[in-house]
Amino acid sequence: MPAGRPAPSGHSPLRRRLLFCGLALAATDVAAEPDRTAGAAGDPPVFVRRVLPDAALAGEWRLRFFGLRIYDARLWVGRRFEADNFGAYPLALELTYHRAFAGADIAKRSIEEIGHQGGLTPGQALRWRTELAGLLPDVQPGDRLTGLYRPGRGMTVWQGSRQLGSIEDAELALRFFGIWLSPRTSEPALRSALLARLTEARP
């Protein structure tokens, strides 16, 4: 489900998403275009299949900035997945980058996005930012990061087919994936696109 083009605004949710990617914007007014990724869905990575044997593509999304691709996102879920209770189900989120970003910047912006969901204390923010910065790598064009969420257990991150590590803080993992999937996300259009196939499948 393609998202509509937002009106240019220096404080728009889309601008915040660009900053989440680590992209510093000097202009005060920007125009950006999110859309769904093109091409066949393909299959989920092998390591996702090991945890989610019935994994299927729930939706996909592409972020463009002045016509340039920033990243492509894909969400993989099992047959019983319910979007309104996403935290109760294992899932995998895949991001394929088209620009270089520092892992520390991604971690910093992640915590800011988690903060928009509410209920984040300064102590949690500092601790969680440190944990994410220790896990998330710097990325280059073409790099693919996949985060696998396990309810009550935490999350594991891969770069390509290489496992980078895990975070066993179940609350951090839930809030991290809530950046994209929580009803309180700052980017509801992104959430809708990642869940589009589930919506289309409803009778």
Side-chain angles (χ1 to χ4, degrees):
M1 181 185 301
R5 182 191 297 270
S9 170
H11 302 285
S12 68
L14 186 52
R15 179 180 173 84
R16 292 199 300 269
R17 289 303 303 173
L18 290 168
L19 290 174
F20 164 68
C21 297
L23 184 63
L25 300 175
T28 57
D29 293 313
V30 300
E33 178 186 359
D35 62 18
R36 290 174 66 174
T37 57
D43 295 321
V46 172
F47 52 82
V48 172
R49 283 287 191 202
R50 293 191 185 118
V51 176
L52 269 174
D54 61 345
L57 185 67
E60 52 192 334
W61 191 76
R62 173 174 292 165
L63 175 66
R64 292 181 182 272
F65 175 67
F66 289 116
L68 300 176
R69 292 183 298 174
I70 304 303
Y71 69 69
D72 296 342
R74 286 180 172 178
L75 177 66
W76 307 95
V77 301
R79 285 193 301 269
R80 298 184 178 182
F81 179 81
E82 296 178 3
D84 291 340
N85 192 25
F86 75 92
Y89 302 89
L91 58 88
L93 180 70
E94 176 189 277
L95 299 180
T96 301
Y97 288 86
H98 300 284
R99 295 289 181 272
F101 301 116
D105 289 338
I106 298 174
K108 177 178 182 292
R109 189 59 203 168
S110 295
I111 294 304
E112 292 173 355
E113 287 291 330
I114 289 173
H116 291 319
Q117 300 173 33
L120 181 65
T121 68
Q124 278 180 317
L126 179 60
R127 185 173 68 255
W128 287 357
R129 178 177 172 180
T130 300
E131 288 191 65
L132 289 174
L135 176 63
L136 299 174
D138 297 342
V139 296
Q140 299 297 322
D143 282 352
R144 185 180 72 251
L145 297 185
T146 305
L148 179 63
Y149 170 73
R150 297 190 185 191
R153 297 177 59 182
M155 68 184 197
T156 304
V157 175
W158 282 261
Q159 186 170 23
S161 59
R162 180 170 66 95
Q163 182 174 327
L164 297 177
S166 300
I167 287 178
E168 297 181 357
D169 187 322
E171 184 180 1
L172 169 54
L174 175 63
R175 299 291 295 276
F176 180 78
F177 284 90
I179 292 171
W180 294 271
L181 299 176
S182 169
R184 301 181 68 178
T185 178
S186 66
E187 283 297 330
L190 180 152
R191 180 178 186 269
S192 294
L194 289 178
L195 300 171
R197 295 195 177 202
L198 301 179
T199 302
E200 293 167 359
R202 289 176 182 170

